[in-house]
PDB file of all heavy atoms in Angstrom:
ATOM      1  N   GLU A  15     196.727 -60.655 182.868  1.00 90.00           N
ATOM      2  CA  GLU A  15     195.886 -60.941 184.032  1.00 90.00           C
ATOM      3  C   GLU A  15     194.680 -61.773 183.653  1.00 90.00           C
ATOM      4  O   GLU A  15     194.059 -61.543 182.619  1.00 90.00           O
ATOM      5  CB  GLU A  15     195.401 -59.634 184.681  1.00 90.00           C
ATOM      6  CG  GLU A  15     196.464 -58.939 185.472  1.00 90.00           C
ATOM      7  CD  GLU A  15     195.915 -57.743 186.241  1.00 90.00           C
ATOM      8  OE1 GLU A  15     194.684 -57.610 186.338  1.00 90.00           O
ATOM      9  OE2 GLU A  15     196.732 -56.954 186.720  1.00 90.00           O
ATOM     10  N   ARG A  16     194.369 -62.734 184.521  1.00 89.00           N
ATOM     11  CA  ARG A  16     193.142 -63.507 184.356  1.00 89.00           C
ATOM     12  C   ARG A  16     192.479 -63.546 185.724  1.00 89.00           C
ATOM     13  O   ARG A  16     193.164 -63.769 186.720  1.00 89.00           O
ATOM     14  CB  ARG A  16     193.490 -64.907 183.859  1.00 89.00           C
ATOM     15  CG  ARG A  16     192.309 -65.651 183.308  1.00 89.00           C
ATOM     16  CD  ARG A  16     192.741 -66.940 182.644  1.00 89.00           C
ATOM     17  NE  ARG A  16     192.989 -66.771 181.211  1.00 89.00           N
ATOM     18  CZ  ARG A  16     194.000 -67.328 180.558  1.00 89.00           C
ATOM     19  NH1 ARG A  16     194.882 -68.045 181.198  1.00 89.00           N
ATOM     20  NH2 ARG A  16     194.130 -67.157 179.267  1.00 89.00           N
ATOM     21  N   TYR A  17     191.218 -63.315 185.770  1.00 88.00           N
ATOM     22  CA  TYR A  17     190.510 -63.193 187.049  1.00 88.00           C
ATOM     23  C   TYR A  17     191.214 -62.203 187.977  1.00 88.00           C
ATOM     24  O   TYR A  17     191.342 -62.432 189.165  1.00 88.00           O
ATOM     25  CB  TYR A  17     190.353 -64.562 187.737  1.00 88.00           C
ATOM     26  CG  TYR A  17     189.468 -65.498 186.984  1.00 88.00           C
ATOM     27  CD1 TYR A  17     190.008 -66.455 186.137  1.00 88.00           C
ATOM     28  CD2 TYR A  17     188.091 -65.405 187.082  1.00 88.00           C
ATOM     29  CE1 TYR A  17     189.184 -67.303 185.407  1.00 88.00           C
ATOM     30  CE2 TYR A  17     187.267 -66.253 186.364  1.00 88.00           C
ATOM     31  CZ  TYR A  17     187.813 -67.201 185.530  1.00 88.00           C
ATOM     32  OH  TYR A  17     187.003 -68.032 184.810  1.00 88.00           O
ATOM     33  N   PHE A  18     191.708 -61.117 187.386  1.00 87.00           N
ATOM     34  CA  PHE A  18     192.332 -60.011 188.124  1.00 87.00           C
ATOM     35  C   PHE A  18     193.602 -60.411 188.860  1.00 87.00           C
ATOM     36  O   PHE A  18     194.018 -59.746 189.791  1.00 87.00           O
ATOM     37  CB  PHE A  18     191.320 -59.357 189.081  1.00 87.00           C
ATOM     38  CG  PHE A  18     190.042 -59.050 188.380  1.00 87.00           C
ATOM     39  CD1 PHE A  18     188.904 -59.790 188.618  1.00 87.00           C
ATOM     40  CD2 PHE A  18     190.008 -58.058 187.419  1.00 87.00           C
ATOM     41  CE1 PHE A  18     187.741 -59.544 187.918  1.00 87.00           C
ATOM     42  CE2 PHE A  18     188.854 -57.801 186.724  1.00 87.00           C
ATOM     43  CZ  PHE A  18     187.706 -58.545 186.978  1.00 87.00           C
ATOM     44  N   GLU A  19     194.206 -61.516 188.449  1.00 87.00           N
ATOM     45  CA  GLU A  19     195.489 -61.927 189.013  1.00 87.00           C
ATOM     46  C   GLU A  19     196.469 -62.036 187.851  1.00 87.00           C
ATOM     47  O   GLU A  19     196.122 -62.610 186.815  1.00 87.00           O
ATOM     48  CB  GLU A  19     195.373 -63.323 189.654  1.00 87.00           C
ATOM     49  CG  GLU A  19     194.409 -63.412 190.804  1.00 87.00           C
ATOM     50  CD  GLU A  19     195.106 -63.133 192.119  1.00 87.00           C
ATOM     51  OE1 GLU A  19     196.350 -63.030 192.114  1.00 87.00           O
ATOM     52  OE2 GLU A  19     194.401 -63.006 193.126  1.00 87.00           O
ATOM     53  N   PRO A  20     197.688 -61.518 188.019  1.00 89.00           N
ATOM     54  CA  PRO A  20     198.677 -61.743 186.965  1.00 89.00           C
ATOM     55  C   PRO A  20     198.993 -63.235 186.868  1.00 89.00           C
ATOM     56  O   PRO A  20     199.157 -63.903 187.886  1.00 89.00           O
ATOM     57  CB  PRO A  20     199.895 -60.942 187.424  1.00 89.00           C
ATOM     58  CG  PRO A  20     199.686 -60.700 188.871  1.00 89.00           C
ATOM     59  CD  PRO A  20     198.222 -60.726 189.130  1.00 89.00           C
ATOM     60  N   TYR A  57     195.713 -60.491 174.286  1.00 92.00           N
ATOM     61  CA  TYR A  57     196.190 -59.115 174.343  1.00 92.00           C
ATOM     62  C   TYR A  57     196.760 -58.888 175.739  1.00 92.00           C
ATOM     63  O   TYR A  57     196.064 -59.095 176.730  1.00 92.00           O
ATOM     64  CB  TYR A  57     195.013 -58.180 174.076  1.00 92.00           C
ATOM     65  CG  TYR A  57     195.401 -56.756 173.860  1.00 92.00           C
ATOM     66  CD1 TYR A  57     195.705 -56.280 172.589  1.00 92.00           C
ATOM     67  CD2 TYR A  57     195.450 -55.877 174.931  1.00 92.00           C
ATOM     68  CE1 TYR A  57     196.051 -54.967 172.394  1.00 92.00           C
ATOM     69  CE2 TYR A  57     195.808 -54.553 174.738  1.00 92.00           C
ATOM     70  CZ  TYR A  57     196.103 -54.102 173.468  1.00 92.00           C
ATOM     71  OH  TYR A  57     196.445 -52.799 173.279  1.00 92.00           O
ATOM     72  N   PRO A  58     198.042 -58.499 175.844  1.00 93.00           N
ATOM     73  CA  PRO A  58     198.619 -58.376 177.189  1.00 93.00           C
ATOM     74  C   PRO A  58     197.937 -57.274 177.994  1.00 93.00           C
ATOM     75  O   PRO A  58     197.515 -56.261 177.442  1.00 93.00           O
ATOM     76  CB  PRO A  58     200.078 -58.034 176.916  1.00 93.00           C
ATOM     77  CG  PRO A  58     200.101 -57.470 175.548  1.00 93.00           C
ATOM     78  CD  PRO A  58     198.988 -58.126 174.800  1.00 93.00           C
ATOM     79  N   THR A  59     197.795 -57.495 179.298  1.00 90.00           N
ATOM     80  CA  THR A  59     197.191 -56.488 180.160  1.00 90.00           C
ATOM     81  C   THR A  59     198.073 -55.248 180.202  1.00 90.00           C
ATOM     82  O   THR A  59     197.586 -54.124 180.172  1.00 90.00           O
ATOM     83  CB  THR A  59     197.012 -57.051 181.580  1.00 90.00           C
ATOM     84  OG1 THR A  59     196.364 -58.317 181.485  1.00 90.00           O
ATOM     85  CG2 THR A  59     196.191 -56.121 182.444  1.00 90.00           C
ATOM     86  N   LYS A  62     204.756 -54.382 176.305  1.00 91.00           N
ATOM     87  CA  LYS A  62     204.839 -54.100 174.876  1.00 91.00           C
ATOM     88  C   LYS A  62     205.596 -55.211 174.161  1.00 91.00           C
ATOM     89  O   LYS A  62     206.615 -55.689 174.654  1.00 91.00           O
ATOM     90  CB  LYS A  62     205.559 -52.764 174.684  1.00 91.00           C
ATOM     91  CG  LYS A  62     205.334 -52.173 173.320  1.00 91.00           C
ATOM     92  CD  LYS A  62     205.741 -50.717 173.300  1.00 91.00           C
ATOM     93  CE  LYS A  62     206.033 -50.223 171.896  1.00 91.00           C
ATOM     94  NZ  LYS A  62     205.201 -50.747 170.833  1.00 91.00           N
ATOM     95  N   ASP A  64     207.324 -56.178 170.438  1.00 90.00           N
ATOM     96  CA  ASP A  64     207.709 -55.733 169.105  1.00 90.00           C
ATOM     97  C   ASP A  64     208.167 -56.936 168.322  1.00 90.00           C
ATOM     98  O   ASP A  64     209.139 -57.599 168.692  1.00 90.00           O
ATOM     99  CB  ASP A  64     208.851 -54.708 169.195  1.00 90.00           C
ATOM    100  CG  ASP A  64     208.319 -53.300 169.139  1.00 90.00           C
ATOM    101  OD1 ASP A  64     207.394 -53.076 168.339  1.00 90.00           O
ATOM    102  OD2 ASP A  64     208.816 -52.446 169.894  1.00 90.00           O
ATOM    103  N   ASN A  65     207.465 -57.218 167.252  1.00 88.00           N
ATOM    104  CA  ASN A  65     207.842 -58.362 166.444  1.00 88.00           C
ATOM    105  C   ASN A  65     208.359 -57.865 165.108  1.00 88.00           C
ATOM    106  O   ASN A  65     207.605 -57.375 164.288  1.00 88.00           O
ATOM    107  CB  ASN A  65     206.647 -59.284 166.249  1.00 88.00           C
ATOM    108  CG  ASN A  65     206.953 -60.414 165.294  1.00 88.00           C
ATOM    109  OD1 ASN A  65     208.118 -60.672 164.992  1.00 88.00           O
ATOM    110  ND2 ASN A  65     205.924 -61.084 164.810  1.00 88.00           N
TER     111      ASN A  65
ATOM    112  N   MET B   1     211.383 -48.325 165.701  1.00 35.00           N
ATOM    113  CA  MET B   1     210.428 -48.781 166.700  1.00 35.00           C
ATOM    114  C   MET B   1     210.646 -48.050 168.022  1.00 35.00           C
ATOM    115  O   MET B   1     209.738 -47.592 168.669  1.00 35.00           O
ATOM    116  CB  MET B   1     210.637 -50.270 166.971  1.00 35.00           C
ATOM    117  CG  MET B   1     209.732 -51.232 166.238  1.00 35.00           C
ATOM    118  SD  MET B   1     208.084 -50.697 165.814  1.00 35.00           S
ATOM    119  CE  MET B   1     207.919 -51.520 164.272  1.00 35.00           C
ATOM    120  N   THR B   5     208.250 -45.563 170.370  1.00 38.00           N
ATOM    121  CA  THR B   5     207.834 -45.877 171.735  1.00 38.00           C
ATOM    122  C   THR B   5     208.093 -44.694 172.650  1.00 38.00           C
ATOM    123  O   THR B   5     207.265 -44.336 173.484  1.00 38.00           O
ATOM    124  CB  THR B   5     208.622 -47.091 172.261  1.00 38.00           C
ATOM    125  OG1 THR B   5     208.877 -47.956 171.185  1.00 38.00           O
ATOM    126  CG2 THR B   5     207.871 -47.774 173.365  1.00 38.00           C
ATOM    127  N   ARG B 100     190.057 -49.999 176.516  1.00 88.00           N
ATOM    128  CA  ARG B 100     190.237 -51.071 177.509  1.00 88.00           C
ATOM    129  C   ARG B 100     190.316 -50.542 178.933  1.00 88.00           C
ATOM    130  O   ARG B 100     191.210 -50.898 179.700  1.00 88.00           O
ATOM    131  CB  ARG B 100     191.508 -51.878 177.211  1.00 88.00           C
ATOM    132  CG  ARG B 100     191.424 -52.635 175.918  1.00 88.00           C
ATOM    133  CD  ARG B 100     192.741 -53.280 175.567  1.00 88.00           C
ATOM    134  NE  ARG B 100     192.665 -53.908 174.256  1.00 88.00           N
ATOM    135  CZ  ARG B 100     192.371 -55.186 174.068  1.00 88.00           C
ATOM    136  NH1 ARG B 100     192.162 -55.976 175.077  1.00 88.00           N
ATOM    137  NH2 ARG B 100     192.295 -55.676 172.844  1.00 88.00           N
ATOM    138  N   ARG B 102     188.925 -50.551 182.543  1.00 91.00           N
ATOM    139  CA  ARG B 102     188.119 -51.531 183.273  1.00 91.00           C
ATOM    140  C   ARG B 102     186.905 -50.892 183.925  1.00 91.00           C
ATOM    141  O   ARG B 102     185.818 -51.456 183.942  1.00 91.00           O
ATOM    142  CB  ARG B 102     188.982 -52.216 184.332  1.00 91.00           C
ATOM    143  CG  ARG B 102     188.234 -53.281 185.113  1.00 91.00           C
ATOM    144  CD  ARG B 102     189.198 -54.237 185.727  1.00 91.00           C
ATOM    145  NE  ARG B 102     190.064 -53.547 186.653  1.00 91.00           N
ATOM    146  CZ  ARG B 102     189.929 -53.624 187.974  1.00 91.00           C
ATOM    147  NH1 ARG B 102     188.975 -54.358 188.497  1.00 91.00           N
ATOM    148  NH2 ARG B 102     190.743 -52.969 188.761  1.00 91.00           N
ATOM    149  N   ASP B 165     182.857 -66.886 181.841  1.00 92.00           N
ATOM    150  CA  ASP B 165     183.466 -66.948 183.173  1.00 92.00           C
ATOM    151  C   ASP B 165     184.412 -65.799 183.465  1.00 92.00           C
ATOM    152  O   ASP B 165     184.308 -65.145 184.483  1.00 92.00           O
ATOM    153  CB  ASP B 165     184.244 -68.262 183.332  1.00 92.00           C
ATOM    154  CG  ASP B 165     183.291 -69.429 183.457  1.00 92.00           C
ATOM    155  OD1 ASP B 165     182.173 -69.194 183.943  1.00 92.00           O
ATOM    156  OD2 ASP B 165     183.655 -70.552 183.073  1.00 92.00           O
ATOM    157  N   GLU B 166     185.373 -65.572 182.576  1.00 92.00           N
ATOM    158  CA  GLU B 166     186.400 -64.576 182.874  1.00 92.00           C
ATOM    159  C   GLU B 166     185.757 -63.191 182.782  1.00 92.00           C
ATOM    160  O   GLU B 166     185.251 -62.803 181.731  1.00 92.00           O
ATOM    161  CB  GLU B 166     187.549 -64.717 181.876  1.00 92.00           C
ATOM    162  CG  GLU B 166     188.914 -64.436 182.447  1.00 92.00           C
ATOM    163  CD  GLU B 166     189.174 -62.960 182.694  1.00 92.00           C
ATOM    164  OE1 GLU B 166     188.766 -62.130 181.870  1.00 92.00           O
ATOM    165  OE2 GLU B 166     189.789 -62.639 183.717  1.00 92.00           O
ATOM    166  N   PRO B 167     185.761 -62.407 183.879  1.00 93.00           N
ATOM    167  CA  PRO B 167     184.973 -61.165 183.897  1.00 93.00           C
ATOM    168  C   PRO B 167     185.367 -60.142 182.835  1.00 93.00           C
ATOM    169  O   PRO B 167     184.485 -59.517 182.240  1.00 93.00           O
ATOM    170  CB  PRO B 167     185.242 -60.597 185.295  1.00 93.00           C
ATOM    171  CG  PRO B 167     185.705 -61.749 186.103  1.00 93.00           C
ATOM    172  CD  PRO B 167     186.400 -62.673 185.174  1.00 93.00           C
ATOM    173  N   ARG B 168     186.662 -59.988 182.567  1.00 93.00           N
ATOM    174  CA  ARG B 168     187.062 -58.984 181.572  1.00 93.00           C
ATOM    175  C   ARG B 168     186.611 -59.414 180.178  1.00 93.00           C
ATOM    176  O   ARG B 168     186.116 -58.623 179.390  1.00 93.00           O
ATOM    177  CB  ARG B 168     188.592 -58.803 181.558  1.00 93.00           C
ATOM    178  CG  ARG B 168     189.186 -58.228 182.808  1.00 93.00           C
ATOM    179  CD  ARG B 168     188.906 -56.762 183.036  1.00 93.00           C
ATOM    180  NE  ARG B 168     189.127 -55.823 181.966  1.00 93.00           N
ATOM    181  CZ  ARG B 168     190.209 -55.051 181.825  1.00 93.00           C
ATOM    182  NH1 ARG B 168     191.203 -55.144 182.666  1.00 93.00           N
ATOM    183  NH2 ARG B 168     190.298 -54.178 180.848  1.00 93.00           N
ATOM    184  N   GLN B 246     185.913 -57.292 192.456  1.00 90.00           N
ATOM    185  CA  GLN B 246     186.943 -57.709 191.505  1.00 90.00           C
ATOM    186  C   GLN B 246     188.344 -57.557 192.086  1.00 90.00           C
ATOM    187  O   GLN B 246     189.222 -58.365 191.826  1.00 90.00           O
ATOM    188  CB  GLN B 246     186.831 -56.882 190.213  1.00 90.00           C
ATOM    189  CG  GLN B 246     185.605 -57.224 189.393  1.00 90.00           C
ATOM    190  CD  GLN B 246     185.631 -56.591 188.022  1.00 90.00           C
ATOM    191  OE1 GLN B 246     186.485 -55.765 187.716  1.00 90.00           O
ATOM    192  NE2 GLN B 246     184.693 -56.974 187.179  1.00 90.00           N
ATOM    193  N   ARG B 249     191.521 -58.954 196.254  1.00 82.00           N
ATOM    194  CA  ARG B 249     192.830 -59.313 196.791  1.00 82.00           C
ATOM    195  C   ARG B 249     193.886 -58.238 196.542  1.00 82.00           C
ATOM    196  O   ARG B 249     195.063 -58.473 196.713  1.00 82.00           O
ATOM    197  CB  ARG B 249     193.275 -60.647 196.190  1.00 82.00           C
ATOM    198  CG  ARG B 249     192.653 -61.826 196.947  1.00 82.00           C
ATOM    199  CD  ARG B 249     192.926 -63.121 196.256  1.00 82.00           C
ATOM    200  NE  ARG B 249     191.860 -63.435 195.323  1.00 82.00           N
ATOM    201  CZ  ARG B 249     191.816 -64.539 194.589  1.00 82.00           C
ATOM    202  NH1 ARG B 249     192.783 -65.396 194.658  1.00 82.00           N
ATOM    203  NH2 ARG B 249     190.798 -64.754 193.779  1.00 82.00           N
ATOM    204  N   LYS B 250     193.438 -57.067 196.104  1.00 83.00           N
ATOM    205  CA  LYS B 250     194.416 -56.001 195.853  1.00 83.00           C
ATOM    206  C   LYS B 250     194.587 -55.148 197.109  1.00 83.00           C
ATOM    207  O   LYS B 250     193.682 -55.054 197.952  1.00 83.00           O
ATOM    208  CB  LYS B 250     193.945 -55.122 194.691  1.00 83.00           C
ATOM    209  CG  LYS B 250     193.807 -55.899 193.397  1.00 83.00           C
ATOM    210  CD  LYS B 250     194.851 -55.518 192.377  1.00 83.00           C
ATOM    211  CE  LYS B 250     195.020 -56.562 191.282  1.00 83.00           C
ATOM    212  NZ  LYS B 250     194.189 -56.349 190.125  1.00 83.00           N
TER     213      LYS B 250
END
Side-chain angles (χ1 to χ4, degrees):
Chain A
E15 285 187 13
R16 196 171 268 139
Y17 294 97
F18 311 107
E19 298 269 352
Y57 191 89
T59 310
K62 198 165 158 37
D64 263 320
N65 174 15
Chain B
M1 263 330 145
T5 327
R100 294 173 185 266
R102 182 158 62 104
D165 288 332
E166 215 286 321
R168 294 288 311 261
Q246 289 190 351
R249 277 172 269 182
K250 299 250 161 91

